[in-house]
Amino acid sequence: MPTDILFTALNARYAHAAFGARYLLANMGPLRERSGLLEFDLQVQPRIAVEKMLAHDPKIIGIGCYIWNIDLVTKIAALLKAIRPDIKLILGGPEISYETEQQEIFPNADHIICGEGEIEFPKLCGELIHHRDTEALRSEHHGDDSVSPSLRGKKIIQAEPVDVEQIELPYDLYSDEDIQHRALYVEASRGCPFRCEYCMSSLDPCVRYFPEDRLFPAFSNLLDRGALNFKFVDRSFNIDIRFALKVLDFFKARYQPGMMLHFEIIPSQLPDELMDAVKDCPPGMLQFEIGIQTFNEAVAHRIQRPLDIEKIETNMRRLRTETGVHIHSDLIAGLPGEDLASFEDGFNRLLALNPQEIQLGILKRLRGAPIARHSSDWNMVYAPHAPYEILSTSRVSFDEMQRINRFGRYWNLVVNNGQFIKTAPLLWQNRHNAAGLPPSKNPSPFADFMHFSDWLYRKTDTTGNLHLVRLAKLILEFLVTEKNMDERTVAEALWTDYQRGNRPDVPGFLKKFGFEKRDTSESKPSTAMARQSRHLT
């Protein structure tokens, strides 16, 4: 059956459900019955995507443009307009909302909605559909279009932030398959009061909260349908402590084993009443994303990021020692004015706080983000293609940035994925090197792991395609040859980690140590408990 209006979402991977597209679909009003949603991940071939899109015989196609999918969307748009130029292509999303006319995709778009589209998109579609359905009749009687165009006469449409109390929520559009197999994106608010210059949320300073009498029933419905994994996209969940407490109380009252809620929080704002509420949550129920980004106060001030180091450290220690929260923390390399030594100090300081995960990000040039004002002063050179990662600055060379990039990839493989809980800390805790020299007076886990990262890259010439057994074997070789550790001690740590995955075999390189296969009838630990068992330091 033809779909007049087709939302096409290009997600980073299958596990990510298109949140923005569902919001637009939910707000189509009378046009909702004439609308549909088609989702792909980034592995799809452009011609296959276009073939599947055209199979719906749409009159209008809407696509969200993000930093992770813009290259693929650009190719799809070119193919689409070459084959079916009559189809109206409407683009939206953060990547196309700024520097709009300079982008390669611009000529292939019929309309571009910059900003939040829940109001403007259905309004535009209504005009386009009405015009198409009546065009022949008007032409017969008037010889041209007698109706003055409004939105449909504009290529670039600037949308204002919507009133969140007036728009429809999208949660009934999550399918049973979504609930079973994907993270469900939800939000309790939009906007952020802070002005961190690397972030697009700094452009929307007004925090708007969704009405509780609509939000909580929607969450209840998802829970009744079996949903357990909620990823809140709010930029500052704990800005309003009262509201944050209501959200926590709501989910605690409906807790089931396996439930996991992801929130992005401000680590300096955790008063006792909120900390007490967090303590009451079962281990593994909460995951807090804590964006540190930098511990360099001058750099933080330069990019207008609030930084209360004392409160951050106090609260993170309390979260680790007093609660069952899983902490995902972030650092960004390449900020204006930060050099490698400063970044190393920040990493070591963060590691000492013992979060379960440290995500090392490379600064990206998000279109429209105010951080662009520093480019000239700090000689900030970005890659010309998405995701526009920083290549070098006046303080960090290209070679150093490449090393940091590899460090981050290997850290994900070895530490963040939780497969080497016992072994990974040996890479930075045992500080004797191959020559048997004593530990440094100023220990640097960053320097130790960078040593491993450089060595691993020389050995493999890749930051991917390292399966578990090969990686384990390389870790053993490094710790024995480069850090002068006892081979059996390392092998026992690796064997403990390997068994944690409930695997029935003994890797070939560990067989000489006489390890025996475990009884696989033992129950496998839950994902939530596995997350909580990670200790980095």
Side-chain angles (χ1 to χ4, degrees):
M1 181 178 178
T3 302
D4 288 340
I5 304 163
L6 182 65
F7 294 96
T8 301
L10 287 307
N11 304 319
R13 55 181 64 89
Y14 168 76
H16 298 178
F19 195 35
R22 284 173 171 78
Y23 253 116
L24 295 180
L25 182 55
N27 284 276
M28 291 303 289
L31 293 174
R32 181 164 169 174
E33 293 183 356
R34 301 173 69 175
S35 306
L37 172 62
L38 188 60
E39 293 184 85
F40 303 100
D41 62 34
L42 296 186
Q43 303 305 311
V44 70
Q45 294 297 313
R47 289 171 62 160
I48 299 299
V50 170
E51 179 184 20
K52 292 182 180 297
M53 292 158 67
L54 294 181
H56 292 264
D57 193 24
K59 297 179 176 68
I60 299 170
I61 290 178
I63 306 179
C65 301
Y66 301 87
I67 196 170
W68 66 81
N69 73 4
I70 188 62
D71 288 343
L72 180 57
V73 176
T74 300
K75 293 174 183 177
I76 287 173
L79 283 173
L80 183 67
K81 296 307 273 187
I83 300 166
R84 287 286 305 274
D86 59 302
I87 294 175
K88 296 297 184 183
L89 178 60
I90 306 175
L91 303 178
E95 181 62 16
I96 197 65
S97 292
Y98 301 90
E99 303 174 25
T100 304
E101 296 182 51
Q102 289 74 49
Q103 298 190 47
E104 181 184 348
I105 198 173
F106 180 76
N108 287 317
D110 293 288
H111 301 277
I112 295 169
I113 297 178
C114 303
E116 297 177 14
E118 287 92 345
I119 303 300
E120 299 299 332
F121 189 92
K123 190 187 302 183
L124 172 60
C125 287
E127 292 186 16
L128 292 172
I129 291 290
H130 175 73
H131 173 69
R132 184 180 181 115
D133 289 348
T134 61
E135 187 176 35
L137 182 61
R138 285 202 298 263
S139 177
E140 180 181 340
H141 287 87
H142 304 286
D144 59 6
D145 186 354
S146 61
V147 179
S148 299
S150 51
L151 289 179
R152 70 175 185 82
K154 300 178 181 179
K155 181 158 184 175
I156 300 177
I157 300 165
Q158 298 292 339
E160 296 296 323
V162 302
D163 181 351
V164 297
E165 295 190 4
Q166 301 301 317
I167 61 174
E168 296 296 324
L169 299 179
Y171 304 119
D172 65 329
L173 292 172
Y174 282 126
S175 68
D176 291 342
E177 181 180 347
D178 295 332
I179 289 172
Q180 287 270 322
H181 302 293
R182 305 168 105 177
L184 302 185
Y185 292 95
V186 297
E187 61 180 351
S189 65
R190 288 188 184 178
C192 181
F194 300 112
R195 298 290 186 276
C196 309
E197 293 183 346
Y198 55 83
C199 180
M200 296 301 295
S201 295
S202 65
L203 303 176
D204 184 8
C206 179
V207 180
R208 295 160 285 156
Y209 287 91
F210 286 84
E212 298 171 21
D213 60 349
R214 296 175 59 216
L215 192 66
F216 291 126
F219 291 163
S220 283
N221 185 51
L222 285 174
L223 290 167
D224 291 343
R225 295 175 60 198
L228 290 174
N229 192 342
F230 294 78
K231 186 177 176 70
F232 282 77
V233 299
D234 305 56
R235 287 301 183 189
S236 47
F237 173 71
N238 57 327
I239 279 291
D240 186 330
I241 301 300
R242 179 197 63 83
F243 193 75
L245 289 170
K246 283 190 175 183
V247 172
L248 289 181
D249 288 343
F250 171 83
F251 281 101
K252 277 191 293 184
R254 292 158 178 80
Y255 175 78
Q256 298 179 50
M259 177 184 287
M260 195 278 283
L261 313 176
H262 175 105
F263 299 106
E264 185 171 339
I265 71 156
I266 305 158
S268 57
Q269 188 160 325
L270 286 170
D272 286 342
E273 57 181 331
L274 183 55
M275 190 71 77
D276 289 341
V278 170
K279 288 180 189 178
D280 289 340
C281 293
M285 175 180 164
L286 300 180
Q287 176 171 294
F288 285 173
E289 182 174 345
I290 299 179
I292 303 299
Q293 318 311 2
T294 181
F295 276 106
N296 185 312
E297 294 185 80
V299 172
H301 178 75
R302 184 173 298 121
I303 61 173
Q304 299 187 46
R305 178 166 181 78
L307 185 66
D308 188 331
I309 294 177
E310 183 178 353
K311 281 188 177 179
I312 289 171
E313 292 185 329
T314 297
N315 287 336
M316 285 188 66
R317 288 192 183 100
R318 289 191 67 189
L319 286 172
R320 286 298 280 125
T321 57
E322 300 176 20
T323 78
V325 173
H326 176 91
I327 299 176
H328 173 112
S329 53
D330 299 307
L331 288 177
I332 296 179
L335 293 172
E338 183 149 52
D339 59 17
L340 185 60
S342 170
F343 187 76
E344 176 177 348
D345 289 343
F347 177 88
N348 292 336
R349 195 163 191 167
L350 180 55
L351 183 66
L353 299 176
N354 198 23
Q356 287 93 336
E357 294 183 60
I358 297 177
Q359 186 72 42
L360 269 68
I362 304 297
L363 179 66
K364 298 175 179 63
R365 190 184 76 85
L366 301 179
R367 297 182 189 274
I371 201 167
R373 71 187 182 93
H374 299 292
S375 294
S376 178
D377 290 346
W378 298 98
N379 194 23
M380 301 173 75
V381 180
Y382 295 91
H385 303 292
Y388 317 114
E389 289 183 326
I390 192 84
L391 299 175
S392 65
T393 72
S394 59
R395 295 293 180 88
V396 182
S397 69
F398 174 68
D399 287 344
E400 289 174 328
M401 202 68 75
Q402 286 290 94
R403 292 178 68 208
I404 295 173
N405 207 332
R406 288 192 290 269
F407 181 113
R409 291 176 181 271
Y410 290 141
W411 187 267
N412 282 337
L413 280 174
V414 175
V415 184
N416 285 344
N417 69 9
Q419 295 190 105
F420 296 100
I421 294 173
K422 187 173 180 64
T423 310
L426 300 178
L427 293 166
W428 62 85
Q429 285 182 345
N430 185 298
R431 302 191 50 78
H432 289 270
N433 58 24
L437 298 176
S440 167
K441 292 181 180 179
N442 298 302
S444 172
F446 180 89
D448 282 348
F449 197 87
M450 183 65 83
H451 177 196
F452 169 68
S453 175
D454 292 341
W455 177 91
L456 189 58
Y457 187 66
R458 288 195 304 270
K459 280 279 186 179
T460 65
D461 200 33
T462 183
T463 56
N465 301 317
L466 292 170
H467 61 75
L468 177 64
V469 173
R470 184 187 181 198
L471 188 56
K473 187 176 181 181
L474 286 163
I475 292 172
L476 175 65
E477 181 182 350
F478 174 82
L479 289 172
V480 171
T481 62
E482 297 292 313
K483 298 199 72 172
N484 200 33
M485 289 194 65
D486 175 70
E487 185 179 29
R488 184 168 188 88
T489 298
V490 177
E492 288 175 349
L494 286 167
W495 178 235
T496 298
D497 286 333
Y498 192 77
Q499 291 181 97
R500 190 175 293 107
N502 215 35
R503 302 175 182 91
D505 62 314
V506 180
F509 76 98
L510 291 179
K511 287 182 178 179
K512 68 177 182 179
F513 298 97
F515 300 134
E516 296 182 358
K517 295 179 184 179
R518 65 175 297 168
D519 180 3
T520 58
S521 64
E522 297 178 24
S523 60
K524 191 173 181 178
S526 70
T527 302
M529 293 307 296
R531 285 199 302 266
Q532 289 309 309
S533 68
R534 297 181 196 172
H535 293 268
L536 301 188
T537 61

